[in-house]
Amino acid sequence: MSTILRGLKTEGVDLTAIVSLADDGGSSGILRARLGIPPVGDLRNCLIALADAESTAGALLQHRLPAERGASRGHPVGNLLLAAAIAEEGGDLERGLERVHQILNVRGRVIPATSESLRLRGRTRAGISVVGQAKLARTRGIASVTLDSTVTLATRHALTAIAEADLLVLGPGSLYTSLIPHLLVPDIRRALADRRAPLVWVANVDEQEGETEGMSLDDHVDALVDHGAGGLIDAILAAASSRRS
């Protein structure tokens, strides 16, 4: 998502990024577990992409501090900034994000899709259960993904952005761990069904090792439809070579 935002922000359009909160790996996963805050890594990348002085902000906020003992990589400064902003706002993610918007002079909006973190539960075609975004991303042969929660609410700002948009873009992003989680939230699925704007799905150019390994474009479409996208997608943007012969 950050890549497409970076390309569009110079086109004079009003951009809003709606970001899934399913990430539970790396620095985001550690902060999520230790501090009880939603994952902030994808939010950080989108904020940097839309920052007015992206080159300066990116260099600072993507810088990783030395890793703690036993960890493979340290925390990016941007993750810690978001964690601090959330803490300063009494644990309110959206108000914390607003503070960082102001610091970076962001062109557009970055909005969490849900009011709480998501935990994904997947099942492979072999019948194996896999829990968590990080594990699912490395899993081949995923058959289905669900949310490990009985009630998951979308944020009011996300629903408003969907209702007011002139164009909705789904992707590019990881199929089962970034895009499909949006479709699993009933509020978001209803908002997409009631939208007035066309919805374009941008397919990934390359397969992802593990998660979509060996999948064709048609397989991607089937997975989206199986998880609630039936009747929602108006157009597909994909490389011609990704079509099944």
Side-chain angles (χ1 to χ4, degrees):
M1 186 185 293
S2 59
T3 301
I4 199 168
L5 292 174
R6 187 172 290 111
L8 289 174
K9 77 174 181 181
T10 60
E11 297 300 318
V13 293
D14 186 9
L15 296 170
T16 299
I18 301 176
V19 181
S20 170
L21 300 184
D23 190 5
D24 60 6
S27 169
S28 291
I30 293 171
L31 294 175
R32 173 175 172 167
R34 291 186 179 178
L35 303 181
I37 63 172
V40 294
D42 290 335
L43 296 167
R44 178 197 80 235
N45 288 331
C46 290
L47 286 166
I48 291 171
L50 291 176
D52 194 38
E54 183 192 343
S55 59
T56 301
L60 293 174
L61 300 184
Q62 299 287 36
H63 176 76
R64 287 184 181 268
L65 299 175
E68 299 175 16
R69 180 176 298 179
S72 58
R73 305 176 74 190
H75 293 292
V77 171
N79 283 8
L80 299 180
L81 174 64
L82 280 162
I86 294 167
E88 286 292 312
E89 292 295 341
D92 189 300
L93 172 62
E94 291 188 82
R95 290 209 306 264
L97 270 174
E98 180 58 36
R99 293 186 73 159
V100 179
H101 272 88
Q102 295 170 7
I103 293 170
L104 299 180
N105 193 23
V106 172
R107 301 186 196 177
R109 304 293 302 164
V110 178
I111 298 172
T114 53
S115 56
E116 60 187 33
S117 302
L118 305 180
R119 185 163 302 281
L120 302 180
R121 181 179 295 274
R123 183 166 292 277
T124 70
R125 290 191 290 272
I128 299 171
S129 179
V130 182
V131 179
Q133 176 270 340
K135 291 181 179 178
L136 277 168
R138 301 190 297 270
T139 299
R140 185 173 182 175
I142 299 171
S144 63
V145 175
T146 59
L147 296 182
D148 207 10
S149 174
T150 54
V151 179
T152 303
L153 301 177
T155 60
R156 176 176 57 84
H157 289 107
L159 299 179
T160 299
I162 292 171
E164 295 179 350
D166 295 313
L167 176 67
L168 292 162
V169 180
L170 179 64
S174 302
L175 177 65
Y176 289 103
T177 56
S178 292
L179 306 188
I180 284 176
H182 289 297
L183 301 173
L184 301 178
V185 179
D187 288 344
I188 291 181
R189 198 165 57 245
R190 282 192 293 269
L192 291 174
D194 294 338
R195 75 196 187 280
R196 64 180 179 86
L199 173 63
V200 178
W201 168 51
V202 181
N204 284 1
V205 175
D206 293 320
E207 64 183 29
Q208 290 180 256
E209 184 177 355
E211 185 168 340
T212 59
E213 193 172 343
M215 292 180 65
S216 68
L217 177 65
D218 289 349
D219 293 332
H220 280 70
V221 173
D222 290 343
L224 288 168
V225 170
D226 289 345
H227 290 84
L232 296 182
I233 298 173
D234 298 297
I236 298 172
L237 180 61
S241 59
S242 64
R243 290 188 59 83
R244 179 186 292 165
S245 59

